[in-house]
């Protein structure tokens, strides 16, 4: 994996690691598609959808660790239903890479009631490309792909010259699946230069 991808993967993974089990939880994937994918990880539409559903704002100061140092703006909403906790986190991060300043729109959904194995299978099916061996570790699996005129293709092995137009056109995507004790997360990130 080139250094550019390593840097982008690190910011996506770091945000996922800090976000605060029942049958195959299609509800998690539905929320992921509705809150993250449909609005292209954009903050305002994702938050508007969560607000319309009656989700509550996460208190200020919740996300303050070093893993958020590249974030220029971020916000989150949560919903408690019975013993199930759900959350959406959205933000915009910036980092310097060998391709120049890169901005990343990030959106995660989390659900304490999701079945990890079923959610991972759904995430793999959504990504539609093999998981990245170099970006997937422990409780985290990541996919990197680009959508283009010839369909979706795995993008981890692309050269900087191949990757640059995809970042300029916002057709590259990271998808992340992660588990933490009592929580299953699915994330979506769109990098651009």
């Amino acid at each position: 994996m080139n250094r550019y991808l390593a840097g982008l993967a690190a910011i996506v993974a770091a945000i996922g690691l800090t976000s605060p089990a029942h049958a195959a939880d299609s509800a998690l994937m539905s929320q992921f598609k509705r809150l993250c994918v449909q609005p292209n990880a954009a903050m305002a539409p994702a938050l508007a959808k969560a607000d319309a559903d009656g989700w509550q704002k996460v208190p200020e100061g919740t996300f303050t660790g070093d893993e958020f140092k590249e974030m220029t703006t971020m916000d989150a909403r949560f919903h408690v239903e019975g013993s199930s906790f759900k959350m959406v986190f959205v933000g915009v991060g910036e980092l310097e890479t060998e391709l120049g300043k890169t901005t990343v729109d990030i959106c995660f959904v989390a659900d304490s009631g999701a079945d990890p194995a079923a959610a991972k299978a759904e995430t793999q099916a959504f990504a539609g490309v093999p998981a990245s061996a170099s970006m997937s570790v422990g409780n985290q699996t990541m996919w990197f792909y680009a959508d283009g005129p010839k369909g979706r293709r795995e993008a981890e092995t692309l050269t900087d010259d191949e990757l640059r137009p995809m970042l300029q056109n916002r057709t590259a995507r990271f998808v992340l699946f992660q588990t933490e004790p009592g929580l299953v997360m699915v994330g979506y990130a769109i990098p651009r230069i």
Side-chain angles (χ1 to χ4, degrees):
M1 170 172 46
N2 68 33
R3 291 178 307 172
Y4 178 82
L5 292 180
L8 286 176
I11 191 174
V12 174
I15 298 303
L17 286 171
T18 59
S19 298
H22 114 136
D25 198 298
S26 295
L28 176 62
M29 186 55 61
S30 294
Q31 288 172 342
F32 169 69
K33 289 177 180 177
R34 183 172 176 269
L35 297 174
C36 295
V37 178
Q38 289 173 359
N40 284 319
M43 286 185 67
L47 294 173
K49 289 178 180 201
D51 290 340
D53 290 343
W55 290 30
Q56 303 298 306
K57 183 173 176 53
V58 171
E60 295 294 327
T62 301
F63 304 104
T64 58
D66 279 348
E67 57 276 4
F68 296 102
K69 67 182 181 237
E70 284 93 5
M71 300 302 293
T72 58
T73 185
M74 59 190 156
D75 206 345
R77 301 292 187 269
F78 74 96
H79 178 69
V80 177
E81 190 174 295
S83 62
S84 178
F85 171 82
K86 300 177 188 319
M87 185 182 74
V88 60
F89 170 92
V90 289
V92 177
E94 287 187 357
L95 61 155
E96 286 296 327
T97 70
E98 55 270 4
L99 293 180
K101 185 168 104 177
T102 300
T103 302
V104 184
D105 297 306
I106 298 171
C107 181
F108 284 90
V109 293
D111 189 339
S112 67
D115 177 276
K120 185 174 183 178
E122 285 183 308
T123 308
Q124 171 63 64
F126 170 81
V129 298
S132 165
S134 65
M135 292 186 257
S136 300
V137 294
N139 63 340
Q140 171 181 291
T141 304
M142 192 175 292
W143 297 263
F144 182 49
Y145 64 86
D147 288 326
K150 296 181 181 179
R152 183 166 291 178
R153 68 185 265 198
E154 183 276 326
E156 182 178 11
T157 59
L158 297 177
T159 67
D160 288 350
D161 288 340
E162 293 170 314
L163 191 56
R164 183 175 279 108
M166 294 173 182
L167 296 170
Q168 291 168 333
N169 296 327
R170 297 191 74 210
T171 58
R173 304 285 189 267
F174 287 96
V175 173
L176 174 96
F177 170 83
Q178 184 171 315
T179 57
E180 293 294 333
L183 200 60
V184 176
M185 296 175 279
V186 181
Y188 194 61
I190 302 174
R192 64 184 188 276
I193 56 174

